[in-house]
Amino acid sequence: MPRVYLETFGCQMNELDSELVAGRLAQLGYAMTREAETADVLLYNTCSVREQAEQKVWSRLGELKKTKKSRPGLVVGVLGCMAERDGADLMKRMPVVDIMCGPGELDKLPELLDNAVRTRASLNGDQSASQAALQGNTSRRSQTLAAAEDRLELLDLSRTISPVDPDGSHRSAYVRITRGCNKFCTYCVVPFTRGAEIHRPPEHIIDECKRLAYAGVVEVTLLGQTVNHYRFEHGASVSVGGVVQPQKGRTYKGSHHRDAFAGTSVTTFADLLHQIHEQVPGIKRLRFVTSYPRDFGNDVLEVMRDSERICRYLHVPAQSGSDSVLKRMNRGYTVGEYLEFLDRARQFLHQPEIGRPLMLSGDIIVGFPGETDEDYQGTVRLLEQSRYKNCFIFKYSPRPGTVAYDKIPDDVPEAVKRERNNHLLSVQARIGEAIGNEQIGQTFDVLVEGLSQKQLKASGLTNAARKPRTIEVTIGGSAVATAPVVEETAEATGPVQVTGRSDGDLIIHFDANDSTHARSLVGSIVPVRVESASGLSLRGCAIDS
Ligand code: 5AD
Ligand code: SF4
């Protein structure tokens, strides 16, 4: 039984893709492993969003040159956005790569893998012959993304959902609701690597949530590149291989509940959230990422406000605080419109008095071409006004194939990018700290994930040091859920520190009586009063509800 090591780079969408691939391979008899050294197949699910992410994969592949000489039977595969984008070039530069499979063709991976494993076996370790054979095999590359869409729904539908481990790991899961992106922000590769926006049928999504809840999952994060654009037209759907599919390429601005076209019933994002909330009470936390700042209707905010298990958390990237930069980025909104949206969201959802403040997070790119000091100061002001609990800050990275790469010279010097990046990080750290301090004295419902890092260290257990276990879906580097387990601390006596998150995604630590108590708390929701804050990490004390 070939052993497969799968490592994931990049975004949550990639993590979910890896989970689906791992589940499918496990169904087909491959054994997933966390140990690259003993694996027969090494798969890297890659990211192309920034150059730095690609560099990591290149260096991983570079390291494999030697390994492959000593283990000629090893099969190496590159999955994800780099495979879609770099294609033949990557194969040429890295002859160690046997298989490439873009995100739009992952359903074909088992076939490609089977082919490669057999070829390797039959070649008796003759590496050059195997490379030639494999390089001649053009079916390793995608045909078109469009052709892949229908088959991809089948991959999502075939998701293996195994019961949650008794130790409480895998309590959180991602569920895809939309694939691809139609926005074409000028700096971004995603519309090219993941293709056009397409929405999954609501019944498939709800069914997946039900199956996850049945297996013991308590937190679901819905995924889409522009998640609030979700819109499924039932009247326009067609059936492919017994699977209901939406008609391609039809997405609409705004979110009118019922019917843009006579006889067509529409499920909007607000409808979808409401339906999942009502039909799957076992999901105690429902979240979604990533929101696009435009086209976010009050209907969604109303459903969020009126649904106790939908989190008061929004990840809504602004990217810049300058109107002219936003225009060059093709974001389609102004700073004023962005801030208006945050105000509106806060009016609906910010309720600290009932322990449910709205928490926001964002993404910012510094050093986009033409960004002046004045533009940058606008971004600093935007950060101050937005008051994100955390913000991902990136230096602009020109990506071949994008409009910005082709048409807008990358004219901000690296040193300036770095300086703005560091400065903005310090601005955000100050804001995060202030937000943390504001929470002292408040009580939050905390979904317990497991032992805190501090406790793991005190017990001599870092995540890396934990003994590897063979579980059905084991993904090298990033597991589906990262709850630290408690089983290994059975001998610990006295209080142990556990960690969890509020529904606004604040990290909160508190003490359980002992390790047995800690174990029993994992996956449950405990009211905790916050007593101190260190940055965004809060410490509190469980209170009797
Ligand atoms: N350079 C820098 N950051 C980028 N992002 C996307 N493309 C680029 C790029 N070319 C950032 C955006 C996006 C996040 C996922 O990655 O902020 O929201
Ligand atoms: Fe990329 Fe813009 Fe689409 Fe986000 S919305 S995935 S930044 S093109």
Side-chain angles (χ1 to χ4, degrees), residues 64-350:
L64 285 178
K65 273 187 206 155
K66 257 202 205 141
T67 320
K68 210 153 173 188
K69 277 211 178 99
S70 58
R71 291 161 60 197
L74 192 65
V75 171
V76 177
V78 173
L79 321 180
C81 290
M82 267 176 83
E84 190 60 44
R85 215 178 64 77
D86 285 339
D89 189 42
L90 193 143
M91 300 285 287
K92 246 189 249 154
R93 255 179 83 182
M94 281 296 167
V96 292
V97 176
D98 301 297
I99 295 174
M100 278 190 321
C101 192
E105 54 191 335
L106 286 175
D107 63 300
K108 282 198 264 164
L109 180 69
E111 220 180 291
L112 299 180
L113 195 53
D114 186 53
N115 195 5
V117 170
R118 279 171 206 273
T119 311
R120 278 264 173 249
S122 69
L123 286 170
N124 249 346
D126 178 349
Q127 199 177 337
S128 58
S130 138
Q131 275 167 359
L134 285 165
Q135 278 178 343
N137 179 358
T138 51
S139 73
R140 280 170 295 159
R141 293 281 303 137
S142 66
Q143 288 131 27
T144 65
L145 283 166
E149 281 164 6
D150 296 339
R151 293 177 290 102
L152 277 176
E153 181 58 22
L154 294 171
L155 181 67
D156 270 285
L157 286 175
S158 74
R159 181 175 194 170
T160 20
I161 297 175
S162 45
V164 161
D165 299 7
D167 65 26
S169 56
H170 305 294
R171 291 283 182 172
S172 300
Y174 295 124
V175 171
R176 188 185 341 257
I177 66 168
T178 301
R179 280 192 201 92
C181 181
N182 288 352
K183 292 308 296 181
F184 289 95
C185 302
T186 53
Y187 50 81
C188 185
V189 292
V190 169
F192 305 100
T193 56
R194 291 201 176 259
E197 191 177 82
I198 185 157
H199 309 289
R200 295 185 65 206
E203 51 275 28
H204 294 186
I205 297 167
I206 292 166
D207 183 57
E208 198 169 318
C209 291
K210 282 183 182 162
R211 291 194 297 134
L212 287 164
Y214 186 72
V217 164
V218 287
E219 180 180 66
V220 160
T221 303
L222 305 177
L223 294 185
Q225 308 289 350
T226 52
V227 75
N228 49 312
H229 284 186
Y230 179 84
R231 184 181 175 92
F232 187 85
E233 285 173 52
H234 297 265
S237 66
V238 290
S239 180
V240 177
V243 177
V244 182
Q245 294 289 328
Q247 225 170 47
K248 311 282 188 304
R250 302 185 72 179
T251 50
Y252 296 87
K253 295 196 180 101
S255 126
H256 321 282
H257 266 266
R258 290 275 151 223
D259 195 8
F261 293 86
T264 312
S265 113
V266 173
T267 299
T268 63
F269 184 51
D271 296 333
L272 180 71
L273 284 177
H274 180 68
Q275 286 172 21
I276 299 174
H277 185 264
E278 295 308 302
Q279 293 182 36
V280 202
I283 300 297
K284 295 181 196 155
R285 292 257 165 103
L286 182 59
R287 318 189 309 149
F288 52 87
V289 290
T290 294
S291 297
Y292 197 73
R294 262 181 57 171
D295 316 322
F296 202 115
N298 285 352
D299 54 349
V300 180
L301 296 174
E302 276 163 21
V303 170
M304 289 176 77
R305 181 195 58 203
D306 299 340
S307 308
E308 60 175 348
R309 294 184 308 282
I310 300 185
C311 295
R312 299 290 170 97
Y313 170 75
L314 289 176
H315 177 222
V316 53
Q319 310 296 3
S320 169
S322 150
D323 283 345
S324 65
V325 172
L326 286 173
K327 197 156 186 208
R328 286 200 298 283
M329 289 177 162
N330 190 32
R331 291 290 289 180
Y333 53 83
T334 61
V335 174
E337 285 163 346
Y338 179 83
L339 292 172
E340 254 166 46
F341 167 65
L342 295 195
D343 273 352
R344 187 155 54 90
R346 285 198 166 105
Q347 273 165 30
F348 274 88
L349 301 173
H350 188 58

